[in-house]
Amino acid sequence: DAGVIQSPRHEVTEMGQEVTLRCKPISGHNSLFWYRQTMMRGLELLIYFNNNVPIDDSGMPEDRFSAKMPNASFSTLKIQPSEPRDSAVYFCASSLASKTYEQYFGPGTRLTVT
Amino acid sequence: AQSVTQLGSHVSVSEGALVLLRCNYSSSVPPYLFWYVQYPNQGLQLLLKYTSAATLVKGINGFEAEFKKSETSFHLTKPSAHMSDAAEYFCAVSAGNNRKLIWGLGTSLAVNP
């Protein structure tokens, strides 16, 4: 299996621009998680989906952030408009719904907003 | 509610020395406990898990952890550190299966030759 695939691996954008991060979970996994990692705040869960349905989005920082999962093999995290404080590494992870503690992480997208 | 505290954001050991990374948890229900490892420029991967079976849990790469309810601890150990163990280690807790993971802030392990 190819594991969790994220794109792009690096993104540099200017403040105010729209940013879209993409994730392909492991085939057969039906839970998907978006995390943000920074030195100051550590690892934060932004949102997670079960069977393509958002279950908990309490970690989404504000309305500038949105996430979708149109099908079982694809999810996006969008930031519009982006701000410098959004600079972080964004991870996508997937798991079986019966074992959400056993998460498989992608390599992450390093976002820099200037 | 659950919470996790990792004592020491940075730990440095010599190659061949004992590794001890500390994790204390708080949980109002019997917890599930986990250690994940993050190598440089990679995502996290599950190292080991406690899900209410044996209290001494063995994981990959020679690591193990012991669940101690009386001390609310789940410390990670390895008898002999290897250079390849240098990474960030995260402790996490959940209120059982299918519950959100609550993460610690991580401990960065450096291994000196």
Side-chain angles (χ1 to χ4, degrees):
Chain A
D1 198 316
V4 176
I5 298 172
Q6 290 187 248
S7 64
R9 292 294 310 276
H10 301 272
E11 177 80 37
V12 180
T13 191
E14 292 183 348
M15 185 174 70
Q17 296 300 304
E18 177 180 297
V19 175
T20 300
L21 311 181
R22 297 173 175 79
C23 174
K24 177 179 169 55
I26 291 173
S27 178
H29 282 185
N30 43 9
S31 291
L32 183 139
F33 309 80
W34 281 102
Y35 290 92
R36 177 172 67 177
Q37 185 178 41
T38 61
M39 291 290 291
M40 293 297 293
R41 299 170 70 98
L43 192 65
E44 303 173 276
L45 176 65
L46 301 178
I47 185 171
Y48 91 90
F49 295 84
N50 251 13
N51 296 313
N52 314 336
V53 176
I55 300 301
D56 183 352
D57 65 355
S58 59
M60 296 287 263
E62 47 200 276
D63 292 346
R64 297 184 298 106
F65 285 70
S66 63
K68 294 182 179 180
M69 192 163 186
N71 57 61
S73 58
F74 184 66
S75 178
T76 59
L77 178 68
K78 185 177 294 187
I79 309 172
Q80 165 64 16
S82 58
E83 297 183 3
R85 60 194 168 115
D86 300 332
S87 297
V89 180
Y90 290 81
F91 288 104
C92 175
S94 70
S95 75
L96 294 171
S98 58
K99 286 187 175 182
T100 54
Y101 54 76
E102 194 162 332
Q103 298 176 21
Y104 293 78
F105 282 72
T109 295
R110 182 173 296 277
L111 173 65
T112 303
V113 184
T114 60
Chain B
Q2 287 75 41
S3 67
V4 170
T5 303
Q6 291 185 240
L7 301 174
S9 57
H10 298 278
V11 171
S12 182
V13 301
S14 298
E15 192 173 17
L18 171 72
V19 175
L20 171 60
L21 304 183
R22 300 177 187 272
C23 173
N24 287 89
Y25 70 91
S26 172
S27 179
S28 55
V29 298
Y32 284 17
L33 292 156
F34 313 90
W35 279 98
Y36 277 75
V37 60
Q38 183 181 25
Y39 297 104
N41 299 312
Q42 295 185 27
L44 284 72
Q45 57 181 280
L46 182 63
L47 194 58
L48 50 78
K49 61 181 184 278
Y50 166 77
T51 55
S52 74
T55 56
L56 181 62
V57 180
K58 295 186 186 299
I60 61 174
N61 300 334
F63 283 93
E64 62 182 37
E66 186 171 8
F67 171 66
K68 292 187 177 180
K69 184 179 178 180
S70 61
E71 299 178 8
T72 61
S73 70
F74 191 58
H75 301 332
L76 182 70
T77 60
K78 181 174 180 177
S80 177
H82 192 273
M83 298 294 288
S84 61
D85 295 327
E88 188 89 13
Y89 292 81
F90 292 88
C91 184
V93 64
S94 79
N97 194 14
N98 233 11
R99 296 290 189 269
K100 188 165 67 174
L101 284 174
I102 307 299
W103 297 88
L105 293 179
T107 297
S108 177
L109 175 66
V111 182
N112 306 309

